[in-house]
Amino acid sequence: MTRFGYTLMTEQSGPKQLVDYAQKAENVGFDFEVSSDHYSPWLSAQGHASYAWTMLGAVAQVTSRVELYTYVTCPIIRYHPAVVAQKAATLQILADGRFTLGLGSGENLNEHVVGQGWPSVDKRQDMFEEAVKIIRQLQSGELITWEGEHYRVDSARLWDTPDTPLEIGVAVSGEKSIERFAPLADHMISTEPKPELIEGWDKARHVGTGLAQKSKKIGQIPICWGPDEQAAITLAHEQFRWFAGGWAVNADLPTTAGFAGATQFVRPEDVADTIACGPDLDAIVEKVKPYWEAGYTDIALVQVGDETQERFLAEAAGPLLEKLRAASS
């Protein structure tokens, strides 16, 4: 049965609000919760970018059932992989085994802030592969020294390791990334409802690891529920028009000004074609449907706009979950 999650969007809400939404999302019946991990919002109109790991530590204490994910953390520049390994292990302990570390190769928007530049895509992928391997090794709790092409780890050990082993999800976008990273991960993360991604992952995962069990395939889709359709379209355009650029563009833009310039000609109707907007829950279900048809096992919803969260969780989330579960079963 397909599972449905709620997105803690650090770019559009403050940290206290996110902790409150996380608790309410669990109470209303979501199966899991994912958090973005950004240093900057995509657009200034979003207005937030708190530290995901502090917020998730608090979320782990006010929830008891939902699984938690980073969606996704980049371990190549802003964070050293040895530090990611430590905080992921700590969060897994705080969450009593409910945490999965979602990893990706990052965006210029967040990584350039530490002044180390933004590498070419080939170099980023090389760095990412090495980083995942370091994180995996450190989860053993053993003393690790690593001399790699991109990273050094000098006599490092995680002194607090979880009883439930940490699982890792990796963001992929096509055949090459699947072949390279599926053998290193437990679960697949992606944002496009393409069956070939799922099929390629299962094949690479089986061949690369010799494991017969299937991984989770975790997708994500924005929606903008609201009682007034036109107001919802306006909000989605204001806050989420960056989504129209695609990751080939989004990964390389360095600032909110860059995203504003790149999306200046995106019209509200263009956003409405991509994002289900308004009060029609059946229309939202239709937008989500391609994900479970493609083979995704876990689908996280992003409700656009901080000002809509309280009402969405109180009025729409429960009935929407019922419709999604009925349609996907």
Side-chain angles (χ1 to χ4, degrees):
M1 188 173 182
T2 309
R3 304 184 332 136
F4 296 96
Y6 175 80
T7 299
L8 300 165
M9 204 73 180
T10 61
E11 301 81 10
Q12 67 180 18
S13 301
K16 285 188 175 181
Q17 288 72 35
L18 291 169
V19 173
D20 180 55
Y21 301 154
Q23 189 173 39
K24 289 174 178 174
E26 178 179 69
N27 291 341
V28 82
F30 282 97
D31 300 305
F32 65 98
E33 299 177 5
V34 305
S35 170
S36 52
D37 185 355
H38 269 222
Y39 200 88
S40 172
W42 288 281
L43 295 167
S44 297
Q46 292 178 307
H48 295 275
S50 58
Y51 187 55
W53 291 87
T54 305
M55 181 270 294
L56 283 169
V59 167
Q61 300 308 292
V62 301
T63 60
S64 60
R65 177 186 56 80
V66 288
E67 295 178 12
L68 304 175
Y69 296 75
T70 47
Y71 201 101
V72 291
T73 290
C74 176
I76 67 171
I77 299 175
R78 182 168 47 116
Y79 304 140
H80 190 284
V83 176
V84 174
Q86 183 190 33
K87 57 191 179 182
T90 299
L91 185 53
Q92 178 71 318
I93 293 169
L94 290 171
D96 293 321
R98 292 182 286 130
F99 176 61
T100 296
L101 175 62
L103 297 173
S105 56
E107 301 165 70
N108 194 3
L109 178 68
N110 306 300
E111 303 309 305
H112 81 273
V113 297
V114 293
Q116 299 299 311
W118 183 235
S120 67
V121 64
D122 288 342
K123 184 176 181 180
R124 296 198 305 267
Q125 297 293 302
D126 290 344
M127 295 171 74
F128 184 59
E129 180 177 356
E130 193 171 322
V132 175
K133 290 177 179 177
I134 291 169
I135 293 166
R136 277 284 195 205
Q137 287 199 19
L138 282 166
Q139 295 305 312
S140 68
E142 298 177 357
L143 189 67
I144 299 297
T145 293
W146 178 282
E147 290 280 355
E149 182 178 353
H150 302 287
Y151 303 105
R152 290 187 70 248
V153 179
D154 185 5
S155 303
R157 170 186 288 132
L158 297 186
W159 291 90
D160 290 278
T161 56
D163 293 333
T164 303
L166 180 73
E167 295 186 351
I168 294 175
V170 169
V172 295
S173 58
E175 183 179 351
K176 289 184 178 180
S177 59
I178 286 172
E179 289 179 355
R180 186 168 191 179
F181 299 119
L184 303 178
D186 301 292
H187 309 297
M188 186 192 103
I189 294 171
S190 194
T191 57
E192 295 183 286
K194 295 180 177 179
E196 59 267 28
L197 294 176
I198 309 297
E199 294 163 5
W201 179 273
D202 282 341
K203 180 180 178 181
R205 179 84 180 123
H206 179 70
V207 171
T209 66
L211 298 176
Q213 68 265 33
K214 292 185 178 180
S215 306
K216 295 176 185 174
K217 288 81 179 180
I218 309 150
Q220 186 184 58
I221 181 172
I223 63 172
C224 194
W225 175 87
D228 182 278
E229 182 179 1
Q230 191 54 53
I233 292 172
T234 299
L235 178 62
H237 178 259
E238 176 194 66
Q239 299 262 321
F240 247 72
R241 66 182 183 275
W242 61 271
F243 195 74
W247 291 113
V249 174
N250 294 347
D252 287 325
L253 294 174
T255 63
T256 55
F259 276 91
T263 59
Q264 62 182 311
F265 299 115
V266 177
R267 303 168 302 173
E269 54 264 40
D270 299 326
V271 175
D273 286 341
T274 305
I275 299 174
C277 297
D280 189 344
L281 298 183
D282 291 323
I284 295 175
V285 171
E286 284 301 307
K287 282 288 188 183
V288 180
K289 184 178 179 180
Y291 284 82
W292 70 69
E293 289 184 333
Y296 282 87
T297 61
D298 296 64
I299 305 167
L301 308 180
V302 183
Q303 168 65 11
V304 174
D306 179 69
E307 61 267 45
T308 67
Q309 299 301 316
E310 291 278 2
R311 192 167 180 183
F312 169 73
L313 289 167
E315 298 179 19
L320 177 58
L321 285 170
E322 289 181 10
K323 286 179 175 289
L324 288 167
R325 287 172 178 143
S328 62
S329 62

